[in-house]
Amino acid sequence: MTSFVYRNGALNAERVPLGRIAKEVGTPFYCYSTAALGESYGAFADAFADRRATICYALKANANLSVIRTFANLGAGADVVSGGELRRALVGGIPGKKIVFSGVGKTRDEMALALDAGILQFNVESVPELEILNEIASERDEPAPVALRINPDVAANTHEKIATGTRDSKFGIDIERALEVYASARELPGISLQGIAVHIGSQLTDLAPFEAAFDRIADLARNLLARGLPMVRLDLGGGLGIRYVDEDPPGVKAYAEMVGRIFAGLEVEFVFEPGRALVGNSGVLVTSVLYIKETSARTFVVVDAAMNDLLRPSLYGADHAITPVAAVADDSPRTTVDVVGPVCETGDVFATARSLPPLASGDLLAIGSAGAYGAVMSSAYNTRPPAAEVLVKDTAYAVVRARATIDDLLAQDSLPAWLALSNAGARGAA
Ligand code: LLP
């Protein structure tokens, strides 16, 4: 990641000091780098430049319209999992023909929206879903383009909450049933079979589980072709991991070589659905230190961001690098601290027993690798307006999602007539 670097003693996003943004926008805020987004997309596109492949950015990782538009301008497609994400992809400038629609629970309305948008394909995850899609598409002139998402029953060796490729997970159609379901799908008039989709999990830092799954998928694809079943496209999902602290994930080149080897000789188009690998290291979360709180047991650095802004550490025990925005000498002393947010849960922790230079109230910290599954998973828990989002491009920056005000949050609620009519404080007063 070359986009977040120290210059003149302060951490910059490209050529903008994060401290300047903090002053003007307030903390906490997410900051994304256009150059970093471009670099990671470029690496992916280059790795597959010699084959027919569409890189369908998985919007779930970061669905800010500016991020989507940045990728759209680079030629990306999109992987969406809801009608809302479909709308975002289209408004972001991604053409329907480059959109794939994944997910185990697509509603009829969402299917209709996607048919209206003329998407590239539905990744269908069950027989009942296939039947409903057939019904809806049969009322139209064109059949729905479909890949069956196959569950290859392979453990992904990642956090259990984000592993999707074993038979106990809710995802995909059992690989043992694939031929049978595929053959019966061919008889459905509203379905146009395109191929197979697979996604075994996220933040994979090793190629082995991908290989195991893709081997099975390649066998299945050859089997389908041998039986004369339609097979023009393979969607290999996302999942390539990134470095948060000290992980050593394979690069996209090694991943692409492995794909080339396993699917050698198969004349098909490819779709990839990377999310984290495109945005994870393109963003940081900037937060201010509120208090240094010493207890008899520990030292807590209480910051103004919390689990409502970045849930990953609380939900998955995920480690994110934390660095002071003001440069510190390598040989400056360190202390062992817990970095925590203000939310009233003990689990509202960004780091436990982390070694950091001495900090004081008002210091800024950058929480790294926060571009993926950060802002999108935020909430207003504890009635805390979630962090603002900022996009940097060279020496310029823009707020791409303003921080909601407390009035915005209150305005989302409404009072039923029986409560609105009585003045709460005056009850019984008359
Ligand atoms: N395609 C499908 C069908 C998926 O389910 C996912 C992620 C992706 C693509 C993108 O995967 P990626 O390339 O980003 O690994 N909130 C979790 C991650 C959830 C991933 C869900 N599915 C986290 O913060 O780690």
Side-chain angles (χ1 to χ4, degrees), residues 58 60 79 102 149 162 199 202-203 238-240 273-276 312 316 373 377:
K60 62 174 80 66
D79 164 42
S102 307
R149 174 163 173 189
I162 54 175
H199 172 82
S202 194
Q203 183 57 10
L240 195 59
E273 302 172 354
R276 191 186 321 258
R312 303 193 70 260
Y316 314 116
Y373 306 109
M377 290 174 71

Side-chain angles (χ1 to χ4, degrees), residues 148-378:
L148 295 187
R149 174 163 173 189
I150 301 302
N151 182 323
D153 195 25
V154 166
N157 190 17
T158 183
H159 192 281
E160 60 172 62
K161 286 200 169 84
I162 54 175
T164 55
T166 64
R167 64 172 73 238
D168 313 320
S169 91
K170 66 181 174 184
F171 296 101
I173 295 168
D174 281 351
I175 193 156
E176 292 83 12
R177 287 195 62 204
L179 280 176
E180 165 209 333
V181 177
Y182 216 88
S184 62
R186 180 155 70 165
E187 307 306 319
L188 300 174
I191 300 297
S192 162
L193 281 174
Q194 307 289 306
I196 310 172
V198 64
H199 172 82
I200 58 166
S202 194
Q203 183 57 10
L204 274 66
T205 51
D206 180 2
L207 287 181
F210 283 121
E211 280 194 64
F214 294 170
D215 263 334
R216 291 179 160 205
I217 296 299
D219 281 349
L220 176 61
R222 293 196 177 95
N223 214 332
L224 293 171
L225 283 168
R227 285 161 201 253
L229 289 159
M231 174 71 241
V232 297
R233 196 174 301 120
L234 279 174
D235 178 340
L236 299 182
L240 195 59
I242 61 168
R243 169 172 293 185
Y244 281 89
V245 179
D246 54 8
E247 301 87 341
D248 191 17
V252 64
K253 261 194 137 158
Y255 172 82
E257 276 161 24
M258 177 269 294
V259 168
R261 178 162 42 78
I262 289 183
F263 295 98
L266 271 171
E267 287 301 315
V268 292
E269 289 168 38
F270 286 89
V271 167
F272 299 94
E273 302 172 354
R276 191 186 321 258
L278 297 189
V279 291
N281 280 327
S282 305
V284 295
L285 173 61
V286 178
T287 182
S288 301
V289 174
L290 295 174
Y291 304 107
I292 308 296
K293 173 173 174 174
E294 312 267 1
T295 71
S296 56
R298 319 183 71 85
T299 301
F300 294 100
V301 176
V302 185
V303 298
D304 67 355
M307 64 189 287
N308 74 296
D309 299 300
L310 177 66
L311 187 58
R312 303 193 70 260
S314 301
L315 189 58
Y316 314 116
D319 275 339
H320 286 249
I322 300 180
T323 41
V325 167
V328 281
D330 283 346
D331 59 356
S332 74
R334 309 275 145 160
T335 49
T336 300
V337 297
D338 290 3
V339 181
V340 301
V343 159
C344 296
E345 292 205 24
T346 303
D348 181 25
V349 174
F350 289 119
T352 306
R354 191 68 67 89
S355 169
L356 284 174
L359 294 165
S361 171
D363 286 353
L364 293 173
L365 294 174
I367 303 182
S369 311
Y373 306 109
V376 275
M377 290 174 71
S378 67

Side-chain angles (χ1 to χ4, degrees), residues 110-121:
E110 288 175 327
M111 289 175 182
L113 274 177
L115 288 169
D116 288 343
I119 66 166
L120 180 64
Q121 77 186 20

